[in-house]
Amino acid sequence: MYHASMATSVVSDDVIVRLERALTGMVRLLQLPRVVARVVGGSGPGLERAAYGALRRIHDQGGLRLSELAAELELDASTVSRQVRQLEAAGLVARRADPGDGRASVVVLTPAGKRVLGRVAAARRRFVAEVVAGWSEEDRVALAGLLERFGGDVAACLSTSTPSVSWSEESRP
């Protein structure tokens, strides 16, 4: 488990360098257009990459105000508003009166949005299953546990500190 005091004890050793490079490489690979197309190809009506995250959060919360969705995604409200308009135009989300405040609206998934989200999630799981097909069950379980732990520790680290990064000449890798 992440502890803020541990951050100062981390030294730039070979393992940390390997972890940083592996994570950077994995994120880069998973964001390549050909990977995205392979993972979600045929699962949805030409969804932007960011649409899955928005649909997932709307689904998981049972509906969100635009401001709440923007906060969840850590994006500007105008960006989220544009994404929601595109999702509305595709028939995947709809705005409903907020039951707690009739003056406000909540974005909810439509039945079509639920179907698309289910197909994309299933395609993503098939891709992961394909990638780890040659791994032992023990290795798959270990990786899942470590990734869950890492994700939790990243979230905890982000909630307790706000380091500033400078891209000046002196700090470039």
Side-chain angles (χ1 to χ4, degrees), residues 19 26 30-31 62 81 87 121-122 126 138 143 160:
L19 281 169
M26 185 175 11
L30 293 174
Q31 291 178 343
S81 181
L87 293 171
R126 282 190 303 273
E138 180 180 278
L143 178 63
T160 60

Side-chain angles (χ1 to χ4, degrees), residues 47 55 58 66 80-96 105-108 110:
L47 294 178
L55 291 174
I58 293 166
L66 278 176
V80 173
S81 181
R82 179 186 57 77
Q83 288 177 343
V84 168
R85 280 193 308 275
Q86 290 174 341
L87 293 171
E88 279 181 302
L92 303 179
V93 301
R95 295 178 202 237
R96 303 282 184 253
S105 65
V106 175
V107 179
V108 297
T110 63

Side-chain angles (χ1 to χ4, degrees), residues 56-133:
R56 170 59 56 202
R57 283 183 175 78
I58 293 166
H59 173 271
D60 291 349
Q61 299 296 326
L64 291 166
R65 289 182 179 192
L66 278 176
S67 60
E68 294 170 329
L69 182 57
E72 286 271 327
L73 297 172
E74 295 187 28
L75 293 171
D76 183 78
S78 64
T79 300
V80 173
S81 181
R82 179 186 57 77
Q83 288 177 343
V84 168
R85 280 193 308 275
Q86 290 174 341
L87 293 171
E88 279 181 302
L92 303 179
V93 301
R95 295 178 202 237
R96 303 282 184 253
D98 185 338
D101 180 356
R103 299 169 297 168
S105 65
V106 175
V107 179
V108 297
L109 292 186
T110 63
K114 290 176 184 176
R115 285 190 302 275
V116 167
L117 179 63
R119 286 195 305 263
V120 173
R124 290 166 62 110
R125 287 189 298 271
R126 282 190 303 273
F127 180 74
V128 171
E130 180 183 341
V131 169
V132 298

